[in-house]
Amino acid sequence: MNSNVFRMPARRSAALAAAAALVAGPVVLAAPAQATGGTGATAKGKASAVVLRTGLDVSLLNKSVEVPLRAALNEVRAPADADKTALTVELDGVDQGRPFTVLRADVATARATVDEHKAEGYSNIADAKVHVPGLPLLSLIEVREVTSRAVCEAGEKPVAESNLLGTVTVLGKKVTLSAGGPTRVEVPGVGEVTLDLSNTRTTSRTAAATALELRVAVNPLKLNVADVQGTLTLAEATCEAPAVPAKQERPEPEKEGVVPQTATEPVAENLAETGGSSTTPYLAGGAVLLLAAGGGALVLVRARGRS
C-alpha cells in the first residue's frame, strides 16, 4: 500500500490547525472587573458627652447611713444627634431630707453627633461651682471654663483635646494645675482633693477626653456628714469612628485595540471589534487559502494513488 495514503490525514490536520490558529489568535476576551469588600461600611460610629459625673459614697451620722451619690448632668449619647444644656443637678435625701444642689453653672452644654463619616462628642462648662454634702457654703471646686472635644473621622487619626481657661479654686484655695501630673489640695479639718488635668486617650478608631477628674476625700469636723469619698469628672467627651466604606476596585486599563467581550456574545460577530488590528481580515483570508491549499494537496495525492 502506498505510504502517501497514511500521510494525508496528518497533512490535512496540520492545515486545519494552522487556519484555526490564524483566525482565533488575535481574539482577546476581557472579563469585567468585580468589586470586593462589600458596598459600604457596616459599623456605625458612636459618640458621648457629659458635663458632670459623680461617683461618690456619702456616709451620714458617723457612717450609720450609707448614701451613694451617683449623678450625671447632661449626659448624651449618639448615633442620633443629642444636645443638652441643663444648668443644675440636684439630689434628694443627703442633706437632712432637703434637695441638695451638686452643680450650678452659667453654661453647661453636652453634645454628641454621628453620621456616616464622623463621630464627635463635645462638652463645655463655664462659671461652675460643685458642692458635696456636708459643705453647703464651701465649694468643692469652682472653674471659670473647661471644654473637652473628641473627634473620630472614618479613615483618619482620632483627636482628643481638653482646655481649661481661667482660674480653678479647690476648697476655697486658688490652685495652678499642671498637665504633667496630679495636683493635690489639702485643707486641715475639711479634707483633700487630688486633681488630674486634661486626660486624653486615643486609639486607631477611638478618642476620649476629660477636662478635670477629681479624687475626693472630705471629712468635715462637727458636721452631719462624716465622710465623702470617690471621684468626680468634669467635661468628658468620647467617640468611635465609623468604619471606612469599602472601595471599588478600578478595572485594569484596556490594551490598545482590545475591546472587552462578554461570554454571551458570539465571537464570530465581533471579530472586527476584538481582533486587535486591521490585519484580521487578511489573516482570515490567509486561513482560507491554507484550507484550499490543503484540499488541493489532498486531491493530488489521491490522484497519484489511483495511478
Side-chain angles (χ1 to χ4, degrees), residues 31 50-51 63 69 87 89 95 111 122 147-148 168 216 253 270 297:
V50 65
V51 166
K63 298 188 178 183
L69 200 165
L87 301 179
V89 56
D95 189 18
R111 183 171 64 248
Y122 170 83
T147 300
S148 289
V168 175
V216 180
N270 292 278

Side-chain angles (χ1 to χ4, degrees), residues 62 133-136 138 187-191 217-228:
N62 297 320
L135 298 175
L138 182 64
V187 177
V190 177
V218 176
N219 186 11
L221 300 177
K222 300 180 182 180
L223 296 175
N224 194 38
V225 176
D227 197 12
V228 179

Side-chain angles (χ1 to χ4, degrees), residues 22-295:
L22 288 172
V23 174
V27 179
V28 178
L29 300 179
Q34 299 293 325
T36 60
T39 57
T42 57
K44 295 181 179 180
K46 300 177 183 178
S48 69
V50 65
V51 166
L52 168 75
R53 189 194 310 280
T54 64
L56 300 173
D57 293 317
V58 181
S59 300
L60 303 174
L61 302 174
N62 297 320
K63 298 188 178 183
S64 62
V65 179
E66 300 287 340
V67 180
L69 200 165
R70 306 288 187 268
L73 176 64
N74 295 346
E75 184 172 22
V76 293
R77 298 181 184 276
D81 289 354
D83 195 327
K84 291 185 180 180
T85 57
L87 301 179
T88 62
V89 56
E90 295 182 348
L91 297 174
D92 295 327
V94 296
D95 189 18
Q96 298 180 356
R98 297 186 298 269
F100 180 81
T101 301
V102 178
L103 179 140
R104 188 180 301 274
D106 290 346
V107 176
T109 300
R111 183 171 64 248
T113 58
V114 170
D115 59 29
E116 61 181 349
H117 302 294
K118 181 173 69 174
E120 180 176 355
Y122 170 83
S123 60
N124 171 257
I125 312 170
D127 294 324
K129 295 181 180 181
V130 178
H131 290 269
V132 294
L135 298 175
L137 301 179
L138 182 64
S139 299
L140 178 69
I141 185 172
E142 299 180 16
V143 295
R144 174 62 177 156
E145 185 175 4
V146 289
T147 300
S148 289
R149 184 189 302 272
V151 181
C152 299
E153 293 190 51
E156 302 292 335
K157 183 178 180 180
V159 176
E161 59 183 9
S162 293
N163 294 307
L164 172 65
L165 302 176
T167 60
V168 175
T169 302
V170 179
L171 297 175
K173 291 184 175 182
K174 288 186 177 182
V175 297
T176 301
L177 302 179
S178 171
T183 300
R184 182 171 174 268
V185 179
E186 183 177 7
V187 177
V190 177
E192 68 178 44
V193 177
T194 303
L195 300 92
D196 283 315
L197 172 67
S198 299
N199 183 9
T200 60
R201 303 174 302 279
T202 59
T203 67
S204 60
R205 284 188 59 194
T206 65
T210 302
L212 283 172
E213 189 170 73
L214 289 70
R215 292 187 295 276
V216 180
V218 176
N219 186 11
L221 300 177
K222 300 180 182 180
L223 296 175
N224 194 38
V225 176
D227 197 12
V228 179
Q229 304 279 341
T231 61
L232 188 147
T233 301
L234 288 174
E236 181 183 74
T238 69
C239 65
E240 180 179 344
V244 179
K247 294 182 179 180
Q248 298 283 341
E249 288 188 359
R250 293 183 178 180
E252 294 183 0
E254 298 175 1
K255 297 180 180 180
E256 184 179 356
V258 178
V259 178
Q261 185 177 41
T262 62
T264 58
E265 295 175 343
V267 174
E269 296 179 2
N270 292 278
L271 288 178
E273 296 181 2
T274 60
S277 71
S278 59
T279 61
T280 301
Y282 300 100
L283 294 175
V288 173
L289 292 176
L290 285 175
L291 286 173

